Amino acid sequence: MRGIVPAAILGQISHQLEVLGSNIPLYAYFDLIAGTSTGGLLALGLSVPAPKSNLPGDGRAPIPVYEDIKGRRFFGGKPKQRYRGTIPPSIDLAALEELYFQRGTSIFPRSQTRLIGQMFLDKYDEQPLERFLFEMFGNTPLEEAMVPTLIVAYDSDEGQPFHLTSYETGSFLYREAGRATSAAPTFFRPAVLYDRQRQKTVRLIDGGVIANNPSLFAYQEAKKLYPDATRYHILSLSTAGTNYTFKTNGASIGVMGWIDPTKGAPIHKIYANAQLQVVDSIAKAIPDLSYTRIHGEASREVKMDETDPRLLELLHRDAREIYADNEAKILAFLSALVQRTGFDHVRLEERDHE
């Protein structure tokens, strides 16, 4: 549910691009969109063909795309242009956040919370989540993504990261990728999917166990997709949170102390917090990478399955404050985005084949 934060920031970014005079859908500015867990669901929402999903459309017509034709300019006139095609419209980013408010209680119903049985059963039935994903994405395959897309999961059988991508494993469906990356251990059962390319069954769990922040995986994939690029630029959005500390006072803690559910499983929170810090540290040190991280502290800790409207509204306010605190960085990144030309990575419709 903390995906409300990056969803709200995406809505503000989209609005700011319109203020800057841009009418191009947000996805079209990027050469790769990546996400893990709730961020994976947002990544899927950004890249899915709007007409083939039930996600809220923005109602705009396809955007025409032109390219300059090299040649002599007379009297300082504008260069001649050639029509290349149209960019499909995207979903309504401002409405994306509302999905959390509208559907959270159906995915995390309090009536299904297994307080005692959770020692032996997953906390929630996965069917409401799977129903939501089917309603949103239907049977759209990943290979139809409007821009290269990377969704991170973890193969528990093989003990290694599992990338669901639109360019290498595109036979997976959007809803399957969403189910895999959000299969949080103890909350939902692993996603059991059939890998059509390798013709084998895989069991995948939430990518957050390996990459809460998938920026380094995104950088690795971008290097493969665009080997001739001299510099890479990442805009990374967090789900906010509090800096977790666990004071031991030098006393013995024992197994139960580290996994104590009444304290939110301290060892799990330490791993997750440390993982984010490692990614931030390494990403900032990579010479050919410009890494813009948008992060802020939440005003209070909010659990991933929280559905109390008051706490969700608090998350929404946190998102606005995080955006305001990082506005200078965001505007600097957006100013570079609006100067981009060429959309070879985007699916163009009605392409001119001259």
Side-chain angles (χ1 to χ4, degrees):
M1 293 302 290
R2 291 210 310 269
I4 286 174
V5 174
I9 292 175
L10 283 170
Q12 290 176 294
I13 286 175
S14 180
H15 172 71
Q16 188 59 51
L17 283 169
E18 292 178 2
V19 172
L20 294 173
S22 169
N23 65 341
I24 303 297
L26 181 60
Y27 76 83
Y29 286 106
F30 292 88
D31 301 295
L32 175 67
I33 296 176
T36 296
S37 195
T38 193
L41 297 180
L42 292 174
L44 291 168
L46 284 173
S47 70
V48 68
K52 293 195 175 184
S53 77
N54 286 326
L55 289 165
D58 63 5
R60 291 183 294 186
I63 310 298
V65 176
Y66 299 88
E67 64 179 352
D68 292 347
I69 299 176
K70 294 181 180 180
R72 185 177 178 184
R73 302 186 190 185
F74 297 96
F75 308 108
K78 294 182 179 180
K80 293 183 178 180
Q81 293 186 319
R82 181 179 67 173
Y83 173 76
R84 290 189 57 194
T86 59
I87 296 178
S90 69
I91 63 170
D92 181 1
L93 294 183
L96 194 57
E97 179 190 7
E98 287 300 314
L99 289 175
Y100 286 89
F101 288 93
Q102 296 169 2
R103 304 302 295 271
T105 53
S106 64
I107 295 173
F108 299 115
R110 287 293 172 241
S111 61
Q112 288 185 6
T113 301
R114 301 154 175 167
L115 295 177
I116 298 177
Q118 195 179 357
M119 290 294 293
F120 307 98
L121 299 171
D122 296 297
K123 191 173 183 179
Y124 296 103
D125 187 333
E126 69 278 4
Q127 290 185 358
L129 172 62
E130 292 177 349
R131 190 179 307 118
F132 165 75
L133 293 170
F134 182 77
E135 290 175 6
M136 294 300 102
F137 300 118
N139 289 318
T140 305
L142 268 178
E143 62 187 3
E144 292 190 13
M146 297 185 293
V147 64
T149 301
L150 162 67
I151 304 300
V152 180
Y154 189 79
D155 187 332
S156 57
D157 284 355
E158 299 292 333
Q160 61 184 10
F162 193 95
H163 291 175
L164 298 106
T165 69
S166 60
Y167 44 89
E168 288 181 342
T169 57
S171 62
F172 282 103
L173 306 180
Y174 262 81
R175 59 181 172 87
E176 292 176 330
R179 176 68 176 87
T181 196
S182 58
T186 75
F187 287 88
F188 297 110
R189 289 195 302 176
V192 181
L193 307 177
Y194 184 68
D195 187 333
R196 299 165 183 83
Q197 289 175 262
R198 295 191 296 166
Q199 297 187 344
K200 61 176 292 188
T201 298
V202 293
R203 293 169 178 82
L204 307 178
I205 61 177
D206 193 314
V209 301
I210 188 66
N212 271 329
N213 177 352
S215 291
L216 293 181
F217 281 134
Y219 170 73
Q220 180 184 52
E221 291 299 298
K223 294 280 282 189
K224 292 193 302 184
L225 289 170
Y226 310 103
D228 296 329
T230 58
R231 192 160 186 81
Y232 300 84
H233 305 265
I234 290 180
L235 176 64
S236 173
L237 307 182
S238 87
T239 59
T242 55
N243 187 37
Y244 184 75
T245 59
F246 184 60
K247 301 185 185 300
T248 64
N249 297 320
S252 178
I253 298 171
V255 174
M256 289 306 299
W258 286 110
I259 65 174
D260 186 352
T262 65
K263 296 181 180 178
I267 191 63
H268 169 73
K269 291 189 175 182
I270 289 172
Y271 280 141
N273 197 50
Q275 184 193 112
L276 292 173
Q277 293 169 344
V278 168
V279 172
D280 283 345
S281 178
I282 294 176
K284 292 174 183 176
I286 298 176
D288 63 350
L289 175 60
S290 174
Y291 178 67
T292 302
R293 175 71 166 165
I294 307 303
H295 174 69
E297 293 288 317
S299 53
R300 61 167 293 176
E301 184 175 359
V302 176
K303 295 181 293 184
M304 64 169 284
D305 60 343
E306 183 60 69
T307 57
D308 186 328
R310 295 168 297 179
L311 294 180
L312 299 185
E313 183 56 39
L314 192 61
L315 273 180
H316 178 73
R317 291 201 298 270
D318 288 339
R320 292 200 300 265
E321 291 181 7
I322 291 171
Y323 180 90
D325 292 341
N326 291 273
E327 188 171 37
K329 287 197 297 185
I330 292 173
L331 290 179
F333 193 95
L334 297 186
S335 66
L337 279 190
V338 297
Q339 296 174 24
R340 292 200 65 181
T341 59
F343 298 92
D344 290 335
H345 57 289
V346 178
R347 287 183 178 272
L348 292 177
E349 298 176 346
E350 303 172 10
R351 184 185 295 271
D352 186 343
H353 292 286
E354 289 183 6

